[in-house]
Amino acid sequence: MHEFSLAHSILEIVLDSARQNRATRVRTVDCRIGAMRQIVPSYLSTAFEACSQQSLAEGADLIVDTVPARLDCQACSHSGDMTEITFQCPSCGSTRIELRGGTTMDVTSITIDQEESNGHRHLEESAGAQRY
Amino acid sequence: MDIAILKRVQERNDTDASDIRRLLDSRGIRMVNVMGGAGSGKTSLLERLMLQFGRELRCGVLEGDITTDYDALRIAALGVPVAQLQTEGSCHLDAALVHRGLGVLPLSDLDIIFVENVGNLVCPAQFDIGEHIRIAVLSVMEGDDKPAKYPLMFSRATIAVLSKCDLIDHTDFDISAASRFIRTVNASAPIIETGIGLPGDAELAHWLAGRPNEDEDEIRERFATTA
Ligand SMILES: Nc1nc2c(ncn2[C@@H]2O[C@H](COP(=O)(O)OP(=O)(O)OP(=O)(O)O)[C@@H](O)[C@H]2O)c(=O)[nH]1
Ligand SMILES: [Mg+2]
Ligand SMILES: [Zn+2]
């Protein structure tokens, strides 16, 4: 459920930036979300799709990059990243572990089609052609 | 064309939350965000805390519920100032809604404000609502594995409360298992066992009355959004 309100916040950030950059359309939205957040990416995408309708971001792909939490094992002193939160050390199986971080939630970038500088609207046809 | 943004998704909510903390700090009020599953005993805990505090601390309550005002009525029956926050379907409180609720409370007459969040273990933990202290309530009826299944709430808690401990003999709840899961994600939160007739209520009241507020930096650290 909270995916809806997060999708809404993401949309606000995306639309702000899209307007500032004279976008005619948003094609992709990249986010980084910590594993500890337990956000279901497919729910978030569905929520984003729903709340972005009739906006510049309608139809944009939401791409979620999962940021791992940090694990320290007190039994085998293994340290590492954890993308799936479990309460066991992946190396020795001990439950004497500590988990930290993994709570990031950022919009990192968007890809847009932009108004041409002469003021004519222009839809980018071949993706990647105008990336800079 | 690629546009780099790098903005926190919750930036607006976090700004609202910081504004709330500034408002409360300027008035010497501390705010406690009470979170936990549906029916875990949040309102009951508040009712018992109100009795513990008596006249020692002047309490106010914000009750977050999806639609009803049953919990607010229970608190009002104790003569404690209370405002109802109806989330209208949303699974959590956010800082903007809490800010509106604060406008209804008689702030000049209060030392401490308890906010009962919407009953669920997942969503409320995602949002800073401008509180100084977060309590995560887990009842022994829900199972000792819940901190492992819903780690965010327990990782961000300032205090973990194991509630309904008076009923523990009727359950298979293992306090040491639950505590270990909580410790895995939270090195410092006291774990307090409460329940009808148990000393935990007094312990919790004592802890809440005596603790200095965390300042904004400490709270930001707890909410650290860079992994
Ligand atoms: N035996 C016992 N029962 C309790 C205790 N705390 C709460 N209960 C009972 O548990 C039920 C739910 O308690 P509430 O305080 O309404 O729980 P809540 O978390 O506020 O519920 P929601 O706001 O609906 O999510 C009620 O029937 C309470 O009487 C306790 O410490 N011991
Ligand atoms: Mg309640
Ligand atoms: Zn290990």
Side-chain angles (χ1 to χ4, degrees):
Chain A
M1 261 307 286
H2 54 287
E3 276 87 355
F4 268 89
S5 97
L6 297 176
H8 198 84
S9 303
I10 292 173
L11 181 66
E12 271 182 26
I13 293 170
V14 166
L15 292 181
D16 269 357
S17 169
R19 280 187 220 104
Q20 278 166 25
N21 289 285
R22 294 175 295 112
T24 54
R25 175 176 171 189
V26 180
R27 291 193 174 258
T28 60
V29 176
D30 284 281
C31 303
R32 302 168 24 162
I33 298 187
M36 200 66 108
R37 291 276 185 170
Q38 296 189 307
I39 302 287
V40 183
S42 66
Y43 287 4
L44 189 64
S45 300
T46 306
F48 186 78
E49 202 179 303
C51 71
S52 62
Q53 274 174 24
Q54 321 228 323
S55 77
L56 283 176
E58 177 163 2
D61 276 331
L62 186 73
I63 301 161
V64 176
D65 178 20
T66 302
V67 179
R70 196 71 202 152
L71 165 137
D72 290 309
C73 177
Q74 285 141 23
C76 75
S77 67
H78 168 84
S79 286
D81 287 346
M82 216 178 214
T83 321
E84 293 267 317
I85 302 295
T86 61
F87 278 60
Q88 267 198 341
C89 172
S91 173
C92 75
S94 169
T95 52
R96 282 174 47 222
I97 59 169
E98 257 180 54
L99 291 175
R100 279 176 290 111
T103 59
T104 310
M105 198 150 54
D106 298 329
V107 179
T108 48
S109 65
I110 56 175
T111 320
I112 58 167
D113 294 345
Q114 207 176 22
E115 254 173 59
E116 282 183 36
S117 44
N118 63 11
H120 289 303
R121 284 176 177 244
H122 150 93
L123 270 187
E124 191 178 301
E125 295 299 351
S126 57
Q130 288 218 351
R131 291 200 171 193
Y132 42 89
Chain B
M1 175 181 173
D2 286 329
I3 314 264
I5 297 182
L6 196 60
K7 237 185 175 177
R8 278 179 296 126
V9 171
Q10 294 177 300
E11 186 172 87
R12 167 168 317 181
N13 183 72
D14 292 351
T15 307
D16 291 347
S18 298
D19 288 348
I20 288 175
R21 250 185 312 270
R22 209 166 310 121
L23 165 77
L24 295 174
D25 288 345
S26 72
R27 290 169 167 265
I29 301 172
R30 76 181 53 186
M31 191 162 83
V32 185
N33 182 0
V34 183
M35 297 175 285
S40 57
K42 300 178 293 298
T43 311
S44 306
L45 185 69
L46 291 186
E47 289 170 323
R48 299 201 309 266
L49 280 174
M50 303 294 115
L51 298 177
Q52 288 284 338
F53 287 134
R55 282 197 205 81
E56 184 193 341
L57 270 186
R58 297 169 302 166
C59 303
V61 173
L62 296 178
E63 275 294 345
D65 265 306
I66 293 178
T67 50
T68 69
D69 60 359
Y70 298 156
D71 287 356
L73 293 174
R74 283 166 65 184
I75 300 295
L78 300 171
V80 171
V82 55
Q84 175 70 42
L85 306 173
Q86 274 169 4
T87 64
E88 289 164 352
S90 178
C91 51
H92 58 269
L93 297 176
D94 62 21
L97 186 56
V98 167
H99 194 253
R100 264 178 274 151
L102 290 174
V104 181
L105 288 181
L107 295 186
S108 342
D109 301 334
L110 300 178
D111 301 311
I112 188 164
I113 294 171
F114 291 89
V115 185
E116 179 176 341
N117 219 309
V118 180
N120 96 53
L121 283 163
V122 186
C123 317
Q126 308 273 348
F127 296 83
D128 183 357
I129 55 169
E131 74 277 23
H132 301 93
I133 293 170
R134 278 162 301 286
I135 302 184
V137 180
L138 172 67
S139 75
V140 298
M141 321 299 287
E142 295 167 86
D144 49 34
D145 59 349
K146 294 305 169 286
K149 288 177 125 173
Y150 307 102
L152 185 65
M153 179 166 297
F154 295 91
S155 72
R156 287 180 161 175
T158 334
I159 314 175
V161 165
L162 303 180
S163 65
K164 309 193 193 181
C165 284
D166 55 302
L167 299 177
I168 196 160
D169 292 342
H170 303 285
T171 72
D172 59 359
F173 193 94
D174 178 348
I175 290 194
S176 64
S179 303
R180 184 168 47 72
F181 286 136
I182 294 169
R183 277 290 161 263
T184 300
V185 292
N186 190 322
S188 61
I191 301 171
I192 299 181
E193 297 164 30
T194 66
I196 294 167
L198 298 181
D201 292 350
E203 193 187 332
L204 179 59
H206 184 75
W207 197 96
L208 287 169
R211 185 182 164 88
N213 280 356
E214 282 181 341
D215 66 23
E216 188 73 20
D217 288 345
E218 288 171 307
I219 288 162
R220 285 272 78 86
E221 190 160 318
R222 191 176 286 276
F223 273 83
T225 39
T226 41

